Amino acid sequence: MNAKRLLSSALLLVGLLAVTACGKAEIGEECDKTGSTDECVEGGICDTLGGDTTGLQCLKICTQDSDCPATQACTGVSGSNQKACHNK
């Protein structure tokens, strides 16, 4: 009986980890392909933030500067026809 319970718990844990791992990256989280919206949550696109930061992350898609925080501007994303909030 204990072996069945242990196996059941292990399978549940593996299932939860698989579901969590397949989730899309939130705004500000790391991503892999510039211009991709597939790996980011809805309303996000993968690009470099700019400024002193390096690496790719999911950025907020925008249409104008007022969609972004005051420290950011709505500028084009390489490899796409989208704009995102990048550091000024």
Side-chain angles (χ1 to χ4, degrees):
M1 193 70 151
N2 286 338
K4 283 185 178 182
R5 184 175 289 165
L6 182 59
L7 180 58
S8 177
S9 296
L11 290 174
L12 178 62
L13 179 60
V14 169
L16 288 173
L17 289 174
V19 169
T20 303
C22 293
K24 294 188 175 201
E26 296 289 332
I27 303 299
E29 292 182 343
E30 198 174 297
C31 55
D32 296 318
K33 186 176 179 194
T34 301
S36 171
T37 56
D38 293 338
E39 55 190 307
C40 300
V41 294
E42 187 174 334
I45 191 165
C46 187
D47 201 12
T48 57
L49 182 59
D52 294 335
T53 62
T54 57
L56 297 172
Q57 60 182 282
C58 291
L59 305 178
K60 179 184 176 187
I61 294 174
C62 58
T63 56
Q64 56 193 1
D65 286 343
S66 62
D67 295 334
C68 304
T71 58
Q72 297 180 336
C74 186
T75 57
V77 175
S78 300
S80 80
N81 61 353
Q82 298 281 337
K83 291 182 178 182
C85 298
H86 294 90
N87 285 341
K88 289 183 178 178

